[in-house]
């Protein structure tokens, strides 16, 4: 597609429920990133996929968070047993590859846990 | 691990004036990239300017320019002739040129433009 696409754009869920957030990167981009941005805060790195390499999961805050990337394209970020502190905007970004330095962001998924 | 620090949580500038946003970073690497991103209320992250560490010349994009001081690990953004549309959150970011090239962001500076 023309840009990085994320869905849903807004999600309200009850505490304890699981949620899935989807990211469709720009076609051909090998690198994919997930970041979390709490209200008025900076971007917190969550996870990074680069081609067929093992993902860098060092930013995932707990084992309730997981992500996968199927076929080197679409990625899903799953949050199990959501907590109120999970409320944030979840931003996805993609990049053409290791030696291409610009990354492109989606518009984010705003998650509210009530 | 690399870190990026933006020491100014908020700044204000009069329309048409010039403002400089500060950013420092910490790394042991010699080859990397630096970026400034803008995030308006729409939430969309927009690349403002980028700099390759191996280039000594400061990057410039129209009214936006950087002052890159590699030895001091400083990467400030200057906005000239500020416009109302420049009001946004600005993030400084670091990206390694090595194997793990995830991007690290600072906490951001909120820029207000005063009419």
């Amino acid at each position: 597609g023309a840009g990085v696409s994320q869905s849903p754009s807004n999600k309200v869920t009850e505490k304890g429920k699981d949620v899935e957030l989807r990211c469709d990167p720009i076609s051909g981009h090998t690198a994919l990133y997930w970041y979390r941005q709490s209200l008025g805060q900076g971007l917190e790195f969550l996870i990074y996929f680069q081609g067929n390499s093992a993902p860098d999961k060092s930013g995932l805050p707990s084992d309730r968070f997981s992500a996968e990337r199927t076929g080197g394209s679409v990625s899903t970020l799953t949050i199990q047993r959501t907590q109120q502190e999970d409320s944030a905007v979840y931003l996805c970004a993609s990049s053409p590859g290791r030696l291409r330095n610009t990354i492109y962001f989606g518009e984010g998924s705003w998650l509210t846990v009530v | 691990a690399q870190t990026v620090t933006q020491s100014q949580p908020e700044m204000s500038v009069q329309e048409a004036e010039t403002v400089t946003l500060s950013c420092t970073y910490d790394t042991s690497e010699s080859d990397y990239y630096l970026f400034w991103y803008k995030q308006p209320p729409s939430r969309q992250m927009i690349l403002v300017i980028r700099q390759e560490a191996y280039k000594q010349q400061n990057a410039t994009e129209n009214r936006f320019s950087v002052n890159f001081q590699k030895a001091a690990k400083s990467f400030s953004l200057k906005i000239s002739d500020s416009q109302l549309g420049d009001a946004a959150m600005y993030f400084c970011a670091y990206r390694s040129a090595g194997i793990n090239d995830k991007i690290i962001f600072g906490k951001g500076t909120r820029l207000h433009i005063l009419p």
Side-chain angles (χ1 to χ4, degrees):
Chain A
V4 178
S5 178
Q6 291 189 244
S7 60
S9 56
N10 288 284
K11 174 75 175 178
V12 180
T13 190
E14 292 181 351
K15 178 182 172 182
K17 294 286 179 72
D18 297 353
V19 296
E20 286 189 349
L21 307 176
R22 175 188 168 104
C23 174
D24 198 347
I26 294 172
S27 179
H29 282 195
T30 59
L32 187 147
Y33 308 78
W34 282 100
Y35 290 86
R36 177 168 71 175
Q37 186 177 26
S38 301
L39 189 62
Q41 301 298 309
L43 276 72
E44 176 189 5
F45 167 76
L46 296 178
I47 189 168
Y48 161 51
F49 298 89
Q50 174 59 271
N52 295 322
S53 302
D56 178 351
K57 304 179 180 181
S58 61
L60 294 178
S62 77
D63 59 8
R64 297 186 296 105
F65 288 73
S66 63
E68 61 179 22
R69 189 178 184 192
T70 53
S73 182
V74 172
S75 177
T76 302
L77 176 69
T78 301
I79 309 172
Q80 296 178 308
R81 304 180 304 281
T82 52
Q83 304 294 313
Q84 287 185 330
E85 60 263 29
D86 299 334
S87 297
V89 176
Y90 289 82
L91 289 164
C92 177
S94 71
S95 172
R98 188 161 291 155
L99 298 180
R100 304 281 295 279
N101 53 44
T102 300
I103 66 169
Y104 301 85
F105 281 85
E107 294 190 356
S109 292
W110 191 295
L111 175 66
T112 303
V113 182
V114 297
Chain B
Q2 294 84 13
T3 58
V4 177
T5 302
Q6 293 178 248
S7 58
Q8 306 150 315
E10 286 194 67
M11 293 192 72
S12 297
V13 64
Q14 209 73 35
E15 193 176 3
E17 297 294 309
T18 295
V19 64
T20 299
L21 309 183
S22 300
C23 173
T24 59
Y25 57 95
D26 189 24
T27 185
S28 59
E29 299 175 329
S30 59
D31 196 13
Y32 48 87
Y33 306 101
L34 296 165
F35 307 85
W36 279 97
Y37 278 87
K38 168 185 176 181
Q39 187 181 43
S42 67
R43 270 185 356 216
Q44 180 69 53
M45 293 284 282
I46 302 166
L47 176 67
V48 175
I49 199 166
R50 65 184 175 209
Q51 173 84 39
E52 291 88 348
Y54 64 84
K55 290 186 177 178
Q56 292 186 340
Q57 186 173 5
N58 290 323
T60 299
E61 288 287 342
N62 300 313
R63 297 183 295 106
F64 299 87
S65 62
V66 298
N67 183 3
F68 173 47
Q69 301 288 329
K70 190 172 184 179
K73 297 178 183 175
S74 171
F75 182 62
S76 60
L77 173 70
K78 185 171 84 171
I79 306 174
S80 304
D81 185 25
S82 298
Q83 300 175 1
L84 294 178
D86 295 334
M89 196 77 165
Y90 286 81
F91 292 99
C92 178
Y94 171 102
R95 184 180 194 183
S96 171
I99 293 175
N100 188 334
D101 58 345
K102 71 187 180 191
I103 298 183
I104 306 299
F105 287 84
K107 291 188 180 301
T109 296
R110 184 167 300 281
L111 179 64
H112 302 278
I113 310 296
L114 307 174

